[in-house]
Amino acid sequence: MRFLSIGECMAEFAPCGTPGTFRMGFAGDTFNTLWYLRALRPDIEAAYFTAVGTDNISDSLIRQMQVAGIDTSLILRRSDRTIGLYLIELADGERSFSYWRNMSAAKCLAEEIETLTEAIAAADVIYFSGITLAILKADTRGSLLETLRQAHAAGKTVAFDPNLRPGLWPDPETMKTVVMSGASASNIVLPSFEDEALHFGDADPGATIERYLCAGADRVIVKNGPHPVAFGHQGKRDTVPVARISNIVDTTAAGDSFNAGYFAELDRDIPQHDMIAAASRVAAKVIQGPGALVQL
Ligand code: ADP
């Protein structure tokens, strides 16, 4: 299986003890998922598609991906831009985030559509998110969605996490319209119920499943924090319980690692229920460690 993840990876500055001191790492939803997938399945070819700069910090990001076994050969380099950055601050145990990403190179990832089309053509499974769509300009976003639709029609597996982030969109209506187009280009949709209820007004996970199935997806898996995961697939609707975790350290990347756990089972001929149970076990480990990238 050759897996391609498309999106943005940023430099992360996280507080480390002494006030005013930060540790730099790299994170981003589609990157986190790929990093976990590679950790779970070193036998899978895992490639990342994004755009970065030609400066030192972009080189460091590429090196970190390569150390993790990720294929970086498709990543675009732009001398006029660099990677985005975010800073985490802690006040009374609450984390707050500041972002510098308006000029990030990743916003241009779909500008060389031939390169992107070739990358998609070479993959068996293609993964993207609502954040991938949010950072692009409307015209290049349209080109990416069209290429994904064609890949889906050609029999490839296209997987999408809506990852609703209203702050990245001009208005909630645009976010909802584009996210539904993302789902309609996909076979597998992996939403998180809390976000879906807030922005789409879904009364329960079943409503989220029906909405994305109606958009054209054929498999919808709805994550819901500590509550059972609900899924819809080929006329079947069911839920899978999630283990109770008593020592939660940090829920960052719970959804991203869950997705990786699910993708790690894609090429094994096992029931949905078992794929989802495996995905929940991965997320359970991740929320018991600090930060986005936890050694499994
Ligand atoms: P997101 O990170 O996208 O908001 P969720 O919070 O729904 O996603 O969590 C994704 C998965 O992580 C859940 O389906 C579950 O398997 C696991 N998880 C998250 N929070 C908890 C929790 N409090 N207890 C147990 N498992 C959890």
Side-chain angles (χ1 to χ4, degrees):
M1 171 160 79
R2 182 167 166 85
F3 190 98
L4 178 72
S5 185
I6 306 173
E8 177 173 28
C9 184
M10 287 174 285
E12 176 198 80
F13 287 81
C16 62
T18 324
T21 314
F22 297 85
R23 188 179 34 247
M24 190 183 82
F26 296 103
D29 63 340
T30 48
F31 165 67
N32 301 343
T33 297
L34 194 67
W35 189 90
Y36 281 114
L37 177 62
R38 180 69 202 176
L40 291 162
R41 290 285 305 272
D43 57 316
I44 284 178
E45 276 183 61
Y48 198 56
F49 194 93
T50 189
V52 301
T54 51
D55 51 355
N56 285 341
I57 194 167
S58 300
D59 289 346
S60 304
L61 166 61
I62 299 259
R63 262 197 309 277
Q64 159 138 2
M65 289 185 182
Q66 289 171 343
V67 166
I70 291 170
D71 175 356
T72 60
S73 61
L74 303 165
I75 293 178
L76 306 172
R77 309 293 298 251
R78 292 188 59 119
S79 56
D80 57 336
R81 292 191 176 227
T82 184
I83 60 172
L85 178 157
Y86 69 99
L87 180 78
I88 305 173
E89 289 177 289
L90 269 179
D92 304 326
E94 282 293 309
R95 291 148 50 94
S96 67
F97 296 81
S98 305
Y99 290 91
W100 292 264
R101 72 194 304 189
N102 278 345
M103 281 300 293
S104 79
K107 290 173 87 72
C108 310
L109 69 84
E111 280 177 17
E112 289 178 29
I113 195 65
E114 295 81 20
T115 317
L116 182 53
T117 305
E118 278 167 29
I120 289 174
D124 305 303
V125 184
I126 304 108
Y127 173 59
F128 70 115
S129 77
I131 296 177
T132 312
L133 296 177
I135 62 169
L136 302 179
K137 288 194 218 119
D139 57 339
T140 58
R141 181 193 292 148
S143 313
L144 169 62
L145 283 171
E146 184 48 36
T147 311
L148 290 168
R149 258 181 230 116
Q150 287 169 10
H152 182 185
K156 292 182 186 292
T157 299
V158 179
F160 176 60
D161 185 332
N163 251 336
L164 303 170
R165 297 288 183 277
L168 292 178
W169 294 93
D171 56 78
E173 282 316 308
T174 308
M175 173 176 79
K176 292 196 277 183
T177 307
V178 176
V179 160
M180 292 311 286
S181 323
S184 73
S186 309
N187 313 64
I188 305 174
V189 181
L190 296 139
S192 290
F193 180 64
E194 204 182 348
D195 294 342
E196 303 293 324
L198 185 64
H199 300 294
F200 282 97
D202 296 342
D204 51 42
T208 308
I209 291 175
E210 300 314 322
R211 181 166 49 76
Y212 284 123
L213 288 178
C214 284
D218 52 48
R219 225 186 285 184
V220 181
I221 296 107
V222 185
K223 297 159 275 181
N224 194 6
H227 307 291
V229 178
F231 73 92
H233 177 46
Q234 292 174 343
K236 186 174 176 194
R237 308 285 182 270
D238 206 351
T239 57
V240 182
V242 161
R244 234 177 77 84
I245 311 289
S246 51
N247 56 326
I248 296 174
V249 174
D250 181 352
T251 57
T252 306
D256 302 337
S257 58
F258 177 100
N259 295 353
Y262 185 83
F263 297 143
E265 305 298 325
L266 267 183
D267 59 350
R268 296 181 173 140
D269 192 19
I270 61 169
Q272 281 303 301
H273 196 283
D274 297 352
M275 292 176 76
I276 291 167
S280 294
R281 284 195 294 275
V282 175
K285 277 192 207 152
V286 169
I287 63 177
Q288 293 179 74
L293 305 180
V294 175
Q295 293 297 333
L296 296 174

